[in-house]
Amino acid sequence: MARPALPKMALLAAATPEAQAAMEILARRWPTVDPDEAELVIALGGDGFMLETLHGQMPRGLPIYGMNLGTVGFLLNEFGIDDLPDRLARAHEVSLHPLRMEATGTDGTQVSGIAINEVSIYRETRQAARLAIEIDGVARLPELVCDGVLVATPAGSTAYNLSAHGPIMPLGANLLALTPISPFRPRRWRGALLPNGARFSIRVLDPVKRPVSAVSDYTEVRDVARVEIWEDRSINLKLLFDPEHHLEERILKEQFVP
């Protein structure tokens, strides 16, 4: 049986010796092109490098097939060389829509950011943050005293969100998680699940005495007064997974880890 034809593919690798060596091996084994000419990107590294690659390729929207040369590798496939054409031909495509963050500073400055995993709001000093939360223009939590709060996508639900005791969400759930970080008051509030069309507005109640920062992947804004967060469906990120390592299955498995 004839081997499937390879698409025009570009190789991108993390700066680690392992990833750089793997890129050299793949480049000798299979034909590659520059990223500007590619139909598909092969990303070699860990989850952090995959996020970096997704951000870098966002304007073109190319499918990205990652191979793990990092630690966890939640967003990547196992590394392999010889069967690459067959793996790409069988790969399943998963579409992700990132979060859009619009942060307004205490000086009125506005900064926009994109988050594939989550947008996080943190206290900047030893004192807890005091936050008010609105959902779709309705006040839902007049005061939350905490270390912070985050809004996570399903793809990011097994990352920082899970460490903060937030829920794991299947990709097809069409939900976003609102998860507090070390809440002090109300003590028993453990967060909420909202439709992915919800718009979150987080206002800092005491920005001078209790300053707060906002982070969306690589964008950090300090001394914020208000943060707006929503899913940006105009951006469609495409990840490719081997059938046996499909992202949906990984998220499902995480819910049964003892």
Side-chain angles (χ1 to χ4, degrees):
M1 183 180 295
R3 173 169 280 174
L6 272 172
K8 293 181 181 179
M9 65 181 190
L11 296 177
L12 297 177
T16 64
E18 295 83 3
Q20 291 294 314
M23 182 170 65
E24 292 182 9
I25 294 171
L26 282 171
R28 290 196 299 266
R29 182 70 175 81
W30 304 108
T32 61
V33 298
D34 291 333
D36 291 341
E37 304 172 21
E39 301 169 333
L40 177 145
V41 171
I42 305 291
L44 305 170
D47 285 318
F49 183 71
M50 172 57 86
L51 291 177
E52 181 182 326
T53 303
L54 285 166
H55 276 272
Q57 298 302 314
M58 202 173 289
R60 294 194 64 198
L62 293 179
I64 300 174
Y65 182 87
M67 288 198 277
N68 185 30
L69 289 156
T71 50
V72 178
F74 190 78
L75 297 175
L76 301 107
N77 303 284
E78 292 182 1
F79 178 71
I81 298 172
D82 295 333
D83 57 348
L84 186 57
D86 294 322
R87 292 174 71 181
L88 292 177
R90 295 187 301 111
H92 293 173
E93 183 177 291
V94 174
S95 293
L96 304 178
H97 302 291
L99 298 173
R100 171 77 62 178
M101 176 190 79
E102 295 288 347
T104 302
T106 54
D107 60 356
T109 302
Q110 293 188 321
V111 178
S112 179
I114 291 291
I116 295 166
N117 278 353
E118 75 278 321
V119 174
S120 303
I121 315 296
Y122 303 101
R123 66 173 181 166
E124 292 181 8
T125 68
R126 60 182 176 81
Q127 291 187 301
R130 291 180 60 236
L131 309 173
I133 298 176
E134 295 180 2
I135 308 296
D136 295 328
V138 178
R140 296 297 183 185
L141 204 56
E143 183 184 53
L144 172 64
V145 181
C146 57
D147 280 356
V149 68
L150 62 87
V151 178
T153 66
S157 67
T158 57
Y160 187 17
N161 174 73
L162 183 58
S163 298
H165 307 291
I168 295 175
M169 299 176 290
L171 289 180
N174 295 322
L175 294 171
L176 298 173
L178 177 65
T179 302
I181 304 168
S182 301
F184 175 71
R185 189 170 61 242
R187 288 184 183 273
R188 295 185 180 180
W189 188 67
R190 292 295 179 262
L193 288 171
L194 285 304
N196 62 342
R199 188 179 182 108
F200 302 79
S201 181
I202 300 170
R203 182 165 52 90
V204 182
L205 295 177
D206 196 351
V208 176
K209 184 180 179 182
R210 301 168 184 263
V212 166
S213 64
V215 180
S216 63
D217 287 358
Y218 305 115
T219 303
E220 180 176 3
V221 187
R222 297 185 69 81
D223 301 329
V224 297
R226 193 180 191 96
V227 182
E228 304 282 337
I229 305 164
W230 68 95
E231 185 180 80
D232 192 340
R233 298 193 67 81
S234 69
I235 302 174
N236 186 27
L237 306 174
K238 303 171 185 176
L239 289 178
L240 299 176
F241 290 96
D242 296 331
E244 61 272 21
H245 293 286
H246 196 275
L247 188 57
E248 284 274 17
E249 178 62 18
R250 295 187 194 190
I251 290 175
L252 184 61
K253 285 182 178 179
E254 281 288 334
Q255 299 178 78
F256 294 92
V257 175

